[in-house]
Amino acid sequence: MKKIILVMLAMVLALPSFAQKLSKEEKAALAKAQNESAVTAINSKAWVIVPSQYQKSDGTLESNVDPAIFVCCEGDKMTVQGYICGGSNSQGYLVEFKEYNPTIDKKGNLKMRLVVNGRMMRGIYQITLRNNTNVADVIFTPSGKSPMKFQGPIVPLAGANYYKRSNPM
């Protein structure tokens, strides 16, 4: 009886090592598909960034796990929620674009400059999306304050996982 249990335990432990892993080509194809999806979402003005990391005021990097902190573009308006992205803790800010300018450089990196203006917030977002990835580096410079830096994946609005509070200002 003990031998049977030991054999079954050994099989259960060895089974994950036989699981199929992605090859380099499959990983590259997945990254390219995610990048194309992000570029399409940016061009259609329907995307969300939920920061995975942000830079604190002392310069150290901190991880973010809160889905209620995000930047969301819906047409000509953008919702900014959470102190990391430039909003407040309690609720989000609704801003409009003065400038929405995505361009692709020689290396295939997408760079965007967003000048936003709202009732409670004004500033400039500089977003860089490197080639073959969907992770964006974002620098937000609010008018009259020091810049805030964060990074996270750009996801199409339909497939995003975020928590939007009601009644943004």
Side-chain angles (χ1 to χ4, degrees):
M1 185 71 177
K2 289 182 183 179
K3 287 182 181 180
I4 293 173
I5 293 174
L6 286 175
V7 169
M8 291 185 69
L9 181 64
M11 289 184 71
V12 168
L13 292 175
L15 204 59
S17 66
F18 294 117
Q20 183 181 5
K21 295 182 180 176
L22 294 177
S23 66
K24 284 185 179 180
E25 295 82 18
E26 290 171 330
K27 286 180 184 178
L30 179 64
K32 186 172 177 86
Q34 288 175 336
N35 180 268
E36 289 172 357
S37 173
V39 170
T40 303
I42 287 170
N43 290 334
S44 64
K45 292 186 177 180
W47 50 268
V48 175
I49 299 176
V50 177
S52 55
Q53 281 188 330
Y54 64 96
Q55 187 174 6
K56 294 174 29 177
S57 58
D58 62 358
T60 59
L61 289 176
E62 186 76 27
S63 294
N64 175 42
V65 293
D66 187 2
I69 298 173
F70 65 89
V71 175
C72 173
C73 175
E74 299 175 86
D76 289 334
K77 297 194 186 286
M78 190 164 89
T79 305
V80 179
Q81 185 172 289
Y83 61 94
I84 296 170
C85 303
S88 72
N89 259 348
S90 57
Q91 63 191 77
Y93 295 142
L94 188 63
V95 295
E96 293 180 352
F97 297 116
K98 282 187 166 181
E99 182 181 329
Y100 186 93
N101 189 10
T103 58
I104 297 179
D105 66 7
K106 295 177 191 175
K107 296 179 182 178
N109 301 328
L110 185 133
K111 296 188 180 213
M112 225 178 2
R113 184 172 190 265
L114 307 175
V115 179
V116 295
N117 188 18
R119 197 174 79 182
M120 302 290 286
M121 180 179 136
R122 286 188 193 107
I124 299 171
Y125 283 91
Q126 295 172 333
I127 301 174
T128 304
L129 181 68
R130 291 193 180 89
N131 193 11
N132 288 334
T133 182
N134 69 334
V135 177
D137 295 323
V138 182
I139 301 172
F140 173 59
T141 309
S143 59
K145 296 182 183 175
S146 60
M148 302 171 166
K149 297 179 183 180
F150 60 92
Q151 67 178 350
I154 293 184
V155 214
L157 193 59
N161 183 20
Y162 64 99
Y163 173 68
K164 187 174 183 180
R165 293 184 178 102
S166 60
N167 300 328
M169 294 205 289

